[in-house]
């Protein structure tokens, strides 16, 4: 079950994308793939949803696919919001991965911290009302990076 705008990506064991497709319609998604041209090895299919990434690993040997486990891996994406001069960052953290937050103001780092320890990581940052302009927050966790640009 997918929504329009979500993406399906297939990556090899080195993290290189071998297939990427944006979902065009919401509803049930079904697609047949021909893996006969792929090298033998481990691959992952990643469905990038609004708040999570669902990952299913499989092994290709001579064009035949074997799924490595029956359970999908889920990575919860961080949520980054702004409300006036407040920056709110949160992430569900069931796998106990630290969350690195870096805040830039006019392309210069003004804050960098790593959050860890809880099942729900969350921070609220109050930005100076005097520092009006372009901001960018970069959040890293689970070997992935997310960013958001905003102005106050």
């Amino acid at each position: 079950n997918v929504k329009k705008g979500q993406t399906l990506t297939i990556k090899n064991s080195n993290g290189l994308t071998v297939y990427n497709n944006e979902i065009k319609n919401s509803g049930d998604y079904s697609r047949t793939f021909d893996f006969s041209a792929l090298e033998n090895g481990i691959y992952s299919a990643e469905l990038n949803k609004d708040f999570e990434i669902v990952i299913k690993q499989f092994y290709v040997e001579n064009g035949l696919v074997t799924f490595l486990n029956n359970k999908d891996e889920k990575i919860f994406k961080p949520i980054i919001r702004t409300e006036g001069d407040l920056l709110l960052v949160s992430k569900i953290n069931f796998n106990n991965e630290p969350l690195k937050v870096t805040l830039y103001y006019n392309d210069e780092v003004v804050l960098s911290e790593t959050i860890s320890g809880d099942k729900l990581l969350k921070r609220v940052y109050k930005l100076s009302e005097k520092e009006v302009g372009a901001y960018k927050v970069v959040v890293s966790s689970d070997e992935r990076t997310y960013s958001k640009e905003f102005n106050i």
Side-chain angles (χ1 to χ4, degrees), residues 92-130:
I92 295 173
N93 190 38
F94 292 136
N95 54 359
N96 294 318
E97 288 290 324
L99 182 70
K100 182 175 181 190
V101 178
T102 306
L103 179 64
Y104 298 85
Y105 173 66
N106 291 331
D107 296 325
E108 290 188 32
V109 175
V110 294
L111 173 120
S112 182
E113 80 167 318
T114 300
I115 309 165
S116 61
D118 292 326
K119 297 296 180 199
L120 177 61
L121 304 175
K122 56 185 175 179
R123 286 289 192 272
V124 177
Y125 303 98
K126 179 152 176 46
L127 307 175
S128 172
E129 294 175 356
K130 297 176 184 175

Side-chain angles (χ1 to χ4, degrees), residues 3 6 47-54 74-81 90-94 142 144 146:
K3 290 183 182 176
Q6 294 176 347
L47 180 59
N48 194 332
K49 299 177 126 184
D50 294 333
F51 301 107
E52 68 182 355
I53 301 169
V54 180
K74 290 185 181 183
I75 296 175
F76 291 95
K77 295 162 62 172
I79 298 174
I80 304 167
R81 296 183 313 145
S90 62
K91 181 182 182 304
I92 295 173
N93 190 38
F94 292 136
D142 302 298
R144 296 169 189 268
Y146 311 86

